[in-house]
Amino acid sequence: MPDRGSDKRRPSLVQTICSDQPSSLATSLHPAAMLINPVFVESSVVLAVLLCVHMVVWNQHSWCSIALFIQAFYVQHKWDRLLRVGGAVFQFRPAANSGIVPGSMVMPLLGLVLKEKCSASGNVYFERFFMVVTITGMLLALFLSLIALGITRPVPTNTCVIAGMASSAILYTTKQTLTVSEVIEVLEVLLIFVYLSLIVLYLLPRCFTPGEALLVVGGISFIVNQLIKRSLNLAEVKGDPVNYFLPVIVVGSLLLGVFFALLFCFMESETWVSSLFFHMMTAVLGLGILMPWLSLFIGRHPIMWLLDFITLNDRRLCLLGYWVFLAVVATCVVLHQNYQRQSGSKKHQASTVVRKYFHLIVVATYVPGLIYDRQLLHVASVGCLAIFLFLEYVRYFRIRPLGQLLRQLLTLFLDERDSGPLILTHVYLLIGMSLPIWLFPGPCAPKGILPGAGGLVPYAGVLAVGVGDTVASVFGSTMGEIRWPGTKKTMEGTATSVFAQIIAVAVFLIFDGSINLNSTYSWIVGSITLVAMLEAYTSQIDNLLLPLYLFILLLL
């Protein structure tokens, strides 16, 4: 048995050698480490996606995205070390790496591929818009990197040099490609991101990893800035009224949450007086602020517009009735599982298979909407997001009469990722399924349809989360035996996930006549396989991450 001195010398040697190298090297030098570092494999999958984009989009922005990936790979090691030693300023979600690499690359890659689609269709306005999205995503990622480098001691010289070179390339490209007004717009988003990050990470400890915070708060910051900009220039407002529901709902939910989180720091939230005040202020916000705000964009009273929209034809009424039935089924599942727990069952947490029931219900919800009426699905998903966020506020603040009941009902379905004060997995599931519909480049798609693999773009959430993640979890937990090195995920789960998604694509081809793959089957299979590997190795919220990466690959 080695002496105590040798035990102390070994970690200090690894720390000395690897003080400024990626964590995979430190893992390989440690005798008890896994042969394969999951973070390295996760980064390799993201790099493969990046190279796929670079093969199609060959310009200075794609080169900058490669530079961004290299610096994010080095900085992720610094963030991971800060999280391990507790040196981060805020409390992030435990039992997960920082997620800087996958989180940093989503917005730049998304902007690149959407810009390319709009450029091919000749839509100059949206081409410039998505160029701003690309640069904004890069600068937000650089800002998060600077935070990690600024609080790391000793100062990592090599990583600082790499980050400096990447920053110089991105800033030079920004100067060459954006106008002054567009640069100001990027800086506005960055300013909103700084203040919003301070508020969200302070009020919601352990809810996010740094990469998830970058993705979620960065997206909200961009939406807030766009809504303010369009509100100040109503003469330039154009487009489908459906597209304005999401920004107004997001901003309204953000205002409601921040206001009451600060208010209930100074008063008790569980009393009937506080609960009554909460419901009154919610009504004032919805009817007195959000409704008039939304009417400025759509040109009519939102409720009257919504009634005309829903009753446009009988098919929409049938879809709504079907969705209400599925909502009742989901509620019955929750009540049944809680009844089993209260009736003396020893199982205090819902199993993986039970939690995936909700994935199947969501698939049954989204597929008919995607086939028959995507606009109605768009509006309905935004409405569900508003309801989910409102109910989560009621549960979190213990607002009467439903607050305590929701806490008891939802506790059964918690998993290791719900480590903070908010329960966000069901919200992430809804957002992950809906993002491809919300982001679908309608103005840049001829006749609303994209050729080849692009025809599957609206189905990216259904494929990656509804089918792939569900099958991987169920088969992996019940029949999986061979585990991927360094993770708890199994090879059987990943293989059945890919196979199930291919079958789902074949089913969509049968029932959705608008899809015409045009001999892009190999690209689709490769994209599905890459995203399945990302699901196997990432420790981030897969409900949010997987649909976005599959969306990017299918757009190519």
Side-chain angles (χ1 to χ4, degrees):
M1 184 175 181
D3 59 6
R4 296 175 62 87
S6 63
D7 284 344
K8 293 181 179 179
R9 284 194 299 271
R10 180 175 296 163
S12 62
L13 177 61
V14 172
Q15 291 177 357
T16 302
I17 295 175
C18 304
S19 60
D20 199 38
Q21 300 296 327
S23 57
S24 57
L25 180 57
T27 304
S28 63
L29 289 175
H30 198 286
M34 292 289 182
L35 295 177
I36 297 180
N37 187 353
V39 176
F40 181 79
V41 179
E42 177 189 52
S43 301
S44 300
V45 175
V46 176
L47 177 60
V49 176
L50 172 60
L51 293 178
C52 290
V53 174
H54 189 60
M55 287 189 301
V56 177
V57 184
W58 187 272
N59 57 31
Q60 51 192 336
H61 293 105
S62 63
W63 284 106
C64 286
S65 64
I66 294 178
L68 179 69
F69 171 85
I70 295 173
Q71 72 87 29
F73 180 72
Y74 274 81
V75 170
Q76 173 154 331
H77 168 58
K78 306 306 171 191
W79 265 111
D80 290 343
R81 188 167 62 181
L82 286 172
L83 296 180
R84 285 195 302 269
V85 302
V89 178
F90 297 102
Q91 299 181 54
F92 292 98
R93 184 163 63 84
N97 62 58
S98 60
I100 294 297
V101 170
S104 297
M105 301 310 301
V106 168
M107 190 177 292
L109 293 181
L110 195 62
L112 275 175
V113 294
L114 289 172
K115 171 184 173 295
E116 186 68 14
K117 286 297 178 184
C118 293
S119 176
S121 65
N123 194 320
V124 179
Y125 175 82
F126 280 98
E127 180 184 356
R128 302 296 303 181
F129 174 80
F130 289 120
M131 187 185 300
V132 172
V133 173
T134 301
I135 297 297
T136 301
M138 292 181 180
L139 292 181
L140 292 179
L142 288 177
F143 175 77
L144 199 64
S145 301
L146 290 177
I147 294 177
L149 297 178
I151 61 180
T152 300
R153 294 294 180 272
V155 177
T157 307
N158 294 345
T159 306
C160 287
V161 171
I162 293 173
M165 294 174 62
S167 302
S168 300
I170 293 171
L171 291 175
Y172 178 78
T173 303
T174 301
K175 177 180 178 297
Q176 294 295 317
T177 56
L178 297 187
T179 63
V180 175
S181 61
E182 290 169 341
V183 171
I184 294 175
E185 185 175 349
V186 172
L187 294 178
E188 290 170 350
V189 177
L190 186 58
L191 183 63
I192 296 173
F193 175 80
V194 172
Y195 286 103
L196 198 56
S197 298
L198 295 175
I199 296 173
V200 171
L201 295 178
Y202 174 75
L203 295 176
L204 302 176
R206 303 181 307 280
C207 282
F208 308 97
T209 64
E212 292 164 3
L214 172 64
L215 190 56
V216 173
V217 181
I220 294 175
S221 302
F222 194 86
I223 289 175
V224 170
N225 182 69
Q226 285 298 311
L227 190 61
I228 295 174
K229 176 184 174 183
R230 295 176 188 274
S231 299
L232 297 176
N233 296 277
L234 291 175
E236 300 179 5
V237 170
K238 54 184 178 181
D240 195 336
V242 169
N243 297 326
Y244 294 104
F245 276 82
L246 179 63
V248 173
I249 291 297
V250 168
V251 173
S253 302
L254 178 67
L255 292 174
L256 184 68
V258 172
F259 174 77
F260 280 105
L262 296 176
L263 178 65
F264 289 143
C265 288
F266 304 99
M267 62 181 295
E268 183 63 42
S269 64
E270 301 180 30
T271 63
W272 276 107
V273 174
S274 298
S275 299
L276 181 61
F277 181 69
F278 174 86
H279 293 301
M280 289 178 58
M281 288 303 298
T282 302
V284 169
L285 176 66
L287 300 177
I289 298 178
L290 299 186
M291 288 292 183
W293 200 354
L294 190 56
S295 65
L296 293 176
F297 295 114
I298 64 178
R300 291 183 59 190
H301 193 282
I303 295 180
M304 301 305 299
W305 181 91
L306 192 60
L307 289 175
D308 292 340
F309 179 79
I310 292 173
T311 58
L312 182 64
N313 53 52
D314 293 337
R315 176 179 292 175
R316 290 187 171 178
L317 295 176
C318 292
L319 278 174
L320 286 174
Y322 170 68
W323 290 339
V324 170
F325 168 74
L326 291 178
V328 173
V329 171
T331 305
C332 291
V333 171
V334 173
L335 295 176
H336 175 69
Q337 291 298 317
N338 278 272
Y339 174 77
Q340 283 189 331
R341 179 177 62 175
Q342 294 173 1
S343 63
S345 175
K346 294 182 179 180
K347 185 170 71 171
H348 297 288
Q349 289 298 123
S351 65
T352 300
V353 176
V354 172
R355 285 200 297 269
K356 297 307 174 182
Y357 287 164
F358 298 102
H359 286 235
L360 296 177
I361 292 174
V362 172
V363 170
T365 301
Y366 274 72
V367 171
L370 287 168
I371 294 175
Y372 295 113
D373 200 326
R374 294 178 184 177
Q375 276 200 325
L376 179 63
L377 182 61
H378 184 128
V379 175
S381 59
V382 173
C384 285
L385 177 63
I387 294 172
F388 276 18
L389 292 176
F390 174 76
L391 291 178
E392 181 56 25
Y393 288 153
V394 170
R395 186 206 64 85
Y396 174 57
F397 295 125
R398 294 185 176 91
I399 302 298
R400 295 189 179 190
L402 296 177
Q404 192 60 37
L405 177 63
L406 288 174
R407 279 180 173 265
Q408 295 173 359
L409 293 177
L410 298 181
T411 301
L412 179 65
F413 300 93
L414 296 179
D415 61 12
E416 66 278 1
R417 297 178 182 180
D418 290 313
S419 55
L422 292 184
I423 301 177
L424 295 173
T425 49
H426 61 295
V427 178
Y428 285 140
L429 174 61
L430 174 67
I431 294 175
M433 298 285 286
S434 304
L435 274 174
I437 305 165
W438 297 341
L439 295 173
F440 183 77
C444 302
K447 299 180 181 180
I449 301 173
L450 293 175
L456 291 172
V457 162
Y459 291 89
V462 174
L463 288 172
V465 176
V467 177
D469 183 46
T470 302
V471 172
S473 298
V474 173
F475 279 83
S477 61
T478 56
M479 294 185 293
E481 295 182 358
I482 306 174
R483 299 191 182 278
W484 289 106
T487 75
K488 298 180 180 179
K489 306 295 180 65
T490 64
M491 296 184 182
E492 293 90 344
T494 302
T496 52
S497 168
V498 174
F499 186 63
Q501 291 180 74
I502 294 174
I503 294 177
V505 170
V507 173
F508 298 154
L509 279 172
I510 295 173
F511 290 99
D512 192 344
S514 64
I515 302 176
N516 184 10
L517 299 184
N518 296 332
S519 302
T520 57
Y521 301 101
S522 58
W523 181 266
I524 293 171
V525 173
S527 301
I528 289 173
T529 304
L530 269 179
V531 174
M533 287 300 300
L534 183 61
E535 187 274 337
Y537 274 96
T538 188
S539 60
Q540 308 304 299
I541 298 294
D542 49 10
N543 289 348
L544 189 62
L545 206 61
L546 303 184
L548 289 172
Y549 274 101
L550 186 58
F551 180 90
I552 291 168
L553 289 169
L554 293 178
L555 267 178
L556 297 175

